[in-house]
Amino acid sequence: MTKPRLAGVIAASVTPVTAGGEIDVARLARHIGRLHADGCDYVSTFGTTGEGASLGSAQKAAALHELAEAGIDMARQLPSVMTPTVADAALSLRTAGLLGCRAALVLPPFYYPFWTDAGIVDFFAAATEIAERDAPPVDLVLYNIPQFSGVPYSPDLVAMMIDRFGDRVIGMKDSTGDLDNGIMLAKTFPALSIFTGDDRVLPHLLRAGGAGIIGGMPNLFAADLRRIVADPDSAEAAEASEKSARRIEVLDGNGGLAAIKAALAIYGDDPGLSQVMPPLRALDDATARRVVAMVDETGFAYAHGE
């Protein structure tokens, strides 16, 4: 059966964690259910917003198996691969393949400053070779966030990945926040689903042929982002885009991921959702409530989707 083209609103889900640093799978499953109810087409677990770089690959693989056992539709999952080691990347790709995930969101290996494009391709070739010894192949969405990883997916590297993996490379998440870069990617690689990670870029990228958004803001604001995706030229989309820009300023200026988790904890009346992994620290209660008050001023009404 032909898989549907990847497009729309994809939530880069937060990861509920315990005070002891374990993934709270029950809370995560409930949150994923709410994200789908709020209109997210897919969910990407364990990326930047999901604190994927602070969680072990074995932890994440076990959590994905538990999500599947809990009834989560894994065909609507894009788990992230965030590791500089071939063995851990292989484990993550193997798990995504075994569970029938729609795709894996793959960050390039980081740490060494003397990487080459050919070396990046070799890394994924080695990881997929190991993963596919006993698991089906999984499609790949390239994750471009060089301000964090230090390794950009340049057009040349994207072309090399396509040359090596063919139509298994189905898209890219461009988290540079650079509109011109996103438009260039959409024009250069029309067969790929090009996503932005920035709400403010979304309507412009859609008009240029982009596929949608993979970002952290759908954890809270999926309904507004759906309005933009449905018709980026509409008055409703323009209003939603203006609100999105203000909300990004509020949340990014007051802790970023920790602020998103704090807001979810308050809106959902679930204090455990505010817990973050070291080296991050949770917001104190007064700061969290001040952030939520600023978000409320944008006209946001939290929807408890079931």
Side-chain angles (χ1 to χ4, degrees):
M1 183 179 295
T2 302
K3 295 178 181 178
R5 179 176 182 267
L6 199 63
V9 176
I10 302 177
S13 176
V14 300
T15 303
V17 294
T18 69
E22 297 299 326
I23 297 170
D24 189 333
V25 179
R27 271 195 175 100
L28 179 57
R30 288 195 297 272
H31 184 56
I32 290 171
R34 188 185 72 78
L35 291 172
H36 286 313
D38 286 352
C40 294
D41 298 282
Y42 298 87
V43 174
S44 180
T45 44
F46 311 132
T48 303
T49 304
E51 298 172 89
S54 298
L55 296 164
S57 295
Q59 276 183 297
K60 293 180 283 189
L64 288 170
H65 281 284
E66 291 182 53
L67 288 173
E69 291 167 3
I72 296 298
D73 183 358
M74 303 309 286
R76 298 176 71 184
Q77 279 285 317
L78 283 79
S80 296
V81 178
M82 304 181 74
T83 175
T85 74
V86 169
D88 283 354
L91 173 61
S92 297
L93 292 168
R94 177 180 181 273
T95 303
L98 287 173
L99 295 176
C101 296
R102 177 63 186 89
L105 182 66
V106 293
L107 188 77
F110 47 89
Y111 182 74
Y112 286 109
F114 33 85
W115 54 269
T116 64
D117 286 352
I120 301 298
V121 176
D122 288 346
F123 175 90
F124 286 113
T128 55
E129 193 277 327
I130 296 170
E132 291 161 22
R133 289 172 185 168
D134 61 352
V138 63
D139 288 341
L140 305 175
V141 176
L142 311 180
Y143 186 8
N144 190 44
I145 185 167
Q147 64 270 35
F148 280 21
S149 70
V151 184
Y153 274 114
S154 67
D156 286 345
L157 178 52
V158 175
M160 290 173 67
M161 289 288 288
I162 294 170
D163 185 62
R164 174 61 179 79
F165 296 102
D167 59 9
R168 285 179 56 190
V169 179
I170 62 170
M172 175 186 282
K173 175 186 176 181
D174 181 40
S175 287
T176 62
D178 183 339
L179 173 60
D180 290 338
N181 193 65
I183 291 175
M184 177 276 294
L185 291 167
K187 300 297 185 184
T188 305
F189 302 102
L192 300 187
S193 296
I194 305 299
F195 295 88
T196 182
D198 190 321
D199 305 34
R200 295 163 293 192
V201 171
L202 178 59
H204 310 287
L205 181 64
L206 289 167
R207 295 186 196 107
I213 185 167
I214 304 175
M217 294 302 165
N219 282 283
L220 288 162
F221 313 121
D224 276 343
L225 292 165
R226 283 234 60 86
R227 294 185 185 97
I228 298 173
V229 168
D231 184 356
D233 294 316
S234 68
E236 291 81 4
E239 180 183 6
S241 184
E242 182 178 343
K243 289 180 178 179
S244 291
R246 174 59 182 149
R247 291 164 186 163
I248 290 171
E249 291 175 4
V250 169
L251 293 167
D252 281 358
N254 290 276
L257 167 58
I260 293 174
K261 281 188 145 182
L264 284 168
I266 291 172
Y267 285 127
D269 192 24
D270 185 358
L273 281 173
S274 66
Q275 181 73 43
V276 295
M277 290 291 292
L280 302 181
R281 300 196 76 185
L283 301 189
D284 63 76
D285 186 66
T287 301
R289 295 192 178 280
R290 178 173 57 82
V291 168
V292 165
M294 289 190 286
V295 172
D296 288 344
E297 290 174 359
T298 69
F300 175 63
Y302 182 79
H304 295 268
E306 299 294 342

